[in-house]
Amino acid sequence: MRKGIFNRKTNAVRAVDGVSFTVAKGETLGIVGESGCGKSTTARLLVGLEGIDAGDLIFDGDRLGVDLSLKDLWDGVQMVFQDSYASLNPRLTIEETIAFGPKMRGVAADEARRLAHELLGRVGLAPARFAGRYPHELSGGQRQRVNIARSLAMKPRLIILDEAVSALDKSVEAQVLNLLRELKDEFGLTYVFISHDLNVVRYVSDRIMVMYLGEVVEIGPVAAVWEKRAHPYTAALFAAMPSMDPDNRTEVPPLAGDPPNPIDPPSGCRFHTRCSFAEPVCGKTRPKSVAVDGAADHDAACHMLDPISGHSKSAGGSRLEAAE
Amino acid sequence: MSTTVDTKVPAVPARPAAEQAPAQSKGYWQGVGARLSRDPVAMVCAGLLTLLLAAVVFAPLLPLADPFTGSMISRLKPIGTEGHILGTDELGRDMLARLIYGGRLTLMLGLLPVIFAFLIGTFLGVLAGYVGGWLNTVIMRTVDVFFAFPSILLAIAISGALGAGIVNSLVSLTIVFIPPITRVAESVTASVRSLEYVDAARISGARALTVVRVHVLGNVMSPIFVYATSLTSVSMILAAGLSFLGLGVKPPQPEWGLMLNTLRTAIYIDPVLAALPGAMIFLTSLCLNLLSDGLRSAMNIKD
């Protein structure tokens, strides 16, 4: 298992062991990366579904396990899961599914039912027609709307969306994304939005965090990351995006090979085994997270950005050419 | 008339695909019942079993001969003899009466151990599967020890140790069926446990017991139940086997296994008569197996 030292401040997370991030109230943080890079584990850590081996999770200034019980955490943080089918109990009607959480909090059955109907209406499913249905009678997009309604029923302030739209087809995906945006404004929510789809992340996020093998390689405002691609992995990830422009197609895969085994990650910079700029220093020392172009909110962990790392390209605050 | 415009109209209307579905769905068990009733094989088996069960339960009310009174002069009468439709056994007792009264014990020994084992095995398996960790190891490795013995050998060994008798047979058969039911319960619970709706229920702050009751039990019950149904016929055959070996029911009590044993000597005189108790065991367990097959497909909610 990956270990990370979490340290969240006012709706924020800061880690010391490579996974270091904060989420400010009201923003959307997008997390991207290949399969198996630890996105989902991070999500499950954030809602307390996985135990944290070392470090802290601080929500609104309260430290989990010290000032904050799991139950308190779940009052403020909820999650929308990836698999819309597996995340709904096939034996419960969707009304029962949505009302379950509030009932567990002591809301009267009638009131919970009323709330379920209201939220169903809000996510675009007419309660009169849908409340009594079972999950297998709904389409994928409808089920994901139910999932969203269920998390809203807990009146959270932070919602973790783990690949929430990845399994939907493009037109439905767009509808659900728009719904999420509306709900965010309406309920004053904060999102952590996890996806492997860079376009989707760009569309919904204020800031973006790129993960590789359980570590944060780059984090910053969407526009800055999109433009600079300071870390070679970020550059490769963006270059792997299919282009709409036929003249701009990549013929050569920007990343060779599969990611290394996360149980036994490479020494030094975890990306050095696949990085075209790798030098001996990359295999030896772990890169520090440094500000990109002196911007306070844009960090990347690469020796080439660190003037004292000893990497030949590091002198003079170099910037990478995108996707070499 | 004032019209308030709802500014929070959903951005996207409901998709039309689902509009054809009924507004209110039927309950789960209604659906299972409806699907089962469309399965002719299962319905025939259910009918036969109901008939047998009714005959067995109301045996004292039926116009039957006394199953314990024999007659030395009318021994081993063939099937179709006047007054004895199914003939008589080696002591001249009416076969029909003995088969029906024998069904009482045989069915009881078939059903009760499975019911007890179902309750205990489901409890142990769900506990092991949901809690996991060392508790899972303790429960499942203990269960594994029982798997080292073939079930018939285990039943004989336990019955032999406890001594002959109906209650001891019940106990030994229950012990025999707990391990396989526990194992099935554990594996389905572990797979349901990893589904996201259980995670979602956990992060709603519900207590573990509530999560298990509402979200786990309902989804693991049907596979365990179907499996247990298929064990009923095994239990019946094992019970008959124990009686056959003299470890279960004692003569002169009628019981199919025991009857098969005592009639064995008559197999050269009237093989059809001697095979009757065996035919009853065969027919009953076949019906139970086919019914459990039907249940299995009827309980598949996705169809």
Side-chain angles (χ1 to χ4, degrees):
Chain A
M1 285 301 292
R2 201 167 47 79
K3 288 186 183 179
I5 298 179
F6 278 74
N7 189 3
R8 300 182 65 194
K9 280 173 190 160
T10 47
N11 238 7
V13 188
R14 203 193 88 210
V16 184
D17 201 40
V19 182
S20 172
F21 64 101
T22 56
V23 186
K25 201 178 180 80
E27 77 165 349
T28 299
L29 175 73
I31 303 181
V32 291
E34 284 171 286
S35 307
C37 72
K39 293 176 303 210
S40 287
T41 310
T42 307
R44 294 175 65 84
L45 283 166
L46 290 180
V47 287
L49 280 170
E50 303 280 347
I52 297 170
D53 296 326
D56 297 305
L57 191 144
I58 297 176
F59 181 68
D60 263 357
D62 297 323
R63 193 177 298 255
L64 180 67
V66 182
D67 328 298
L68 191 76
S69 70
L70 271 176
K71 221 171 166 147
D72 297 333
L73 178 73
W74 293 330
D75 278 345
V77 184
Q78 284 293 312
M79 183 160 170
V80 174
F81 295 89
Q82 172 174 14
D83 185 338
S84 69
Y85 197 78
S87 55
L88 295 174
N89 185 343
R91 290 296 181 77
L92 297 186
T93 61
I94 61 176
E95 168 189 298
E96 289 167 334
T97 288
I98 298 169
F100 178 79
K103 273 196 232 165
M104 290 301 112
R105 270 203 194 149
V107 175
D110 277 0
E111 177 62 19
R113 191 166 168 271
R114 200 195 53 73
L115 178 69
H117 281 234
E118 185 189 311
L119 287 169
L120 274 175
R122 184 59 199 88
V123 298
L125 300 172
R129 208 162 63 224
F130 288 94
R133 289 207 192 153
Y134 288 90
H136 69 273
E137 296 170 313
L138 304 183
S139 70
Q142 289 167 340
R143 283 199 295 266
Q144 207 54 293
R145 286 166 191 269
V146 175
N147 274 323
I148 293 166
R150 170 176 58 194
S151 66
L152 288 175
M154 300 299 286
K155 303 206 187 327
R157 280 166 290 160
L158 171 65
I159 298 185
I160 318 289
L161 298 138
D162 182 11
E163 302 269 14
V165 295
S166 307
L168 306 176
D169 63 63
K170 280 293 160 196
S171 60
V172 180
E173 182 179 29
Q175 294 167 2
V176 173
L177 284 176
N178 285 331
L179 174 68
L180 286 171
R181 281 186 139 186
E182 290 167 24
L183 294 172
K184 189 184 163 191
D185 294 340
E186 191 178 327
F187 294 94
L189 299 168
T190 303
Y191 286 156
V192 171
F193 190 94
I194 296 172
S195 179
H196 61 269
D197 187 333
L198 289 163
N199 282 318
V200 168
V201 169
R202 181 189 194 179
Y203 179 68
V204 296
S205 306
D206 301 307
R207 290 193 306 135
I208 185 169
M209 178 167 111
V210 184
M211 288 185 74
Y212 183 74
L213 274 189
E215 289 184 342
V216 176
V217 296
E218 184 164 356
I219 184 167
V222 167
V225 174
W226 208 267
E227 189 191 329
K228 301 225 176 84
R229 306 168 187 199
H231 195 283
Y233 178 67
T234 312
L237 201 64
F238 280 65
M241 255 166 56
S243 173
M244 286 296 133
D245 179 2
D247 298 329
N248 201 12
R249 283 201 181 128
T250 34
E251 298 292 331
V252 188
L255 263 184
D258 291 323
N261 186 354
I263 293 167
D264 183 23
S267 59
C269 174
R270 292 189 173 180
F271 187 56
H272 83 266
T273 51
R274 297 165 82 192
C275 181
S276 45
F277 305 101
E279 293 188 4
V281 64
C282 299
K284 287 193 192 106
T285 37
R286 192 170 168 175
K288 278 186 301 183
S289 193
V290 291
V292 177
D293 287 353
D297 55 353
H298 187 186
D299 293 319
C302 178
H303 286 308
M304 290 189 285
L305 300 164
D306 186 354
I308 54 162
S309 69
H311 195 287
S312 64
K313 293 200 179 185
S314 70
S318 75
R319 187 200 294 178
L320 281 176
E321 299 300 315
E324 202 67 49
Chain B
M1 196 178 111
S2 71
T3 316
T4 41
V5 176
D6 188 359
T7 49
K8 291 167 188 173
V9 169
V12 187
R15 293 172 73 249
E19 281 171 20
Q20 296 138 10
Q24 197 67 35
S25 297
K26 284 179 293 181
Y28 172 73
W29 288 107
Q30 271 174 287
V32 171
R35 282 191 291 271
L36 197 62
S37 67
R38 284 194 294 271
D39 181 347
V41 178
M43 286 323 282
V44 167
C45 290
L48 281 175
L49 287 173
T50 313
L51 201 69
L52 181 69
L53 213 62
V56 156
V57 169
F58 299 111
L61 304 176
L62 299 175
L64 292 170
D66 183 350
F68 295 101
T69 314
S71 153
M72 280 302 133
I73 52 164
S74 58
R75 292 193 299 173
L76 291 175
K77 292 282 184 217
I79 291 169
T81 308
E82 204 186 331
H84 302 291
I85 302 167
L86 289 179
T88 58
D89 71 357
E90 77 285 355
L91 294 176
R93 296 171 295 197
D94 183 62
M95 274 301 279
L96 179 66
R98 282 187 70 77
L99 282 176
I100 288 174
Y101 276 93
R104 296 187 129 188
L105 271 178
T106 310
L107 287 182
M108 188 184 87
L109 284 170
L111 289 173
L112 285 186
V114 174
I115 292 169
F116 292 145
F118 175 70
L119 296 176
I120 299 168
T122 303
F123 173 75
L124 288 175
V126 170
L127 190 68
Y130 190 79
V131 177
W134 64 268
L135 193 65
N136 180 295
T137 311
V138 170
I139 293 175
M140 295 319 290
R141 292 303 79 77
T142 311
V143 160
D144 283 347
V145 172
F146 285 89
F147 274 99
F149 308 100
S151 55
I152 181 73
L153 213 62
L154 192 62
I156 291 169
I158 299 168
S159 282
L162 295 173
I166 296 169
V167 177
N168 287 349
S169 301
L170 279 177
V171 172
S172 73
L173 289 172
T174 306
I175 295 173
V176 166
F177 291 127
I178 290 172
I181 292 179
T182 305
R183 182 174 272 189
V184 169
E186 191 262 352
S187 82
V188 288
T189 306
S191 63
V192 166
R193 171 80 168 77
S194 67
L195 292 177
E196 289 168 342
Y197 62 78
V198 176
D199 286 336
R202 284 172 63 206
I203 63 173
S204 70
R207 286 178 307 136
L209 214 60
T210 314
V211 175
V212 169
R213 184 172 53 81
V214 178
H215 295 279
V216 177
L217 274 187
N219 290 293
V220 301
M221 250 348 167
S222 57
I224 308 175
F225 181 73
V226 167
Y227 179 69
T229 320
S230 73
L231 284 181
T232 314
S233 61
V234 180
S235 175
M236 229 177 58
I237 291 167
L238 284 184
L242 287 179
S243 300
F244 182 87
L245 292 171
L247 286 169
V249 181
K250 294 260 192 200
Q253 276 287 335
E255 199 274 339
W256 294 345
L258 189 64
M259 288 164 71
L260 204 58
N261 185 8
T262 52
L263 277 167
R264 158 176 67 105
T265 49
I267 198 151
Y268 295 112
I269 304 162
D270 191 339
V272 180
L273 188 72
L276 270 181
M280 289 304 290
I281 296 172
F282 168 74
L283 196 70
T284 315
S285 51
L286 184 74
C287 283
L288 281 167
N289 278 338
L290 290 174
L291 186 62
S292 85
D293 270 356
L295 263 181
R296 190 198 314 270
S297 37
M299 279 179 165
N300 191 347
I301 200 160
K302 281 166 205 163
D303 291 344

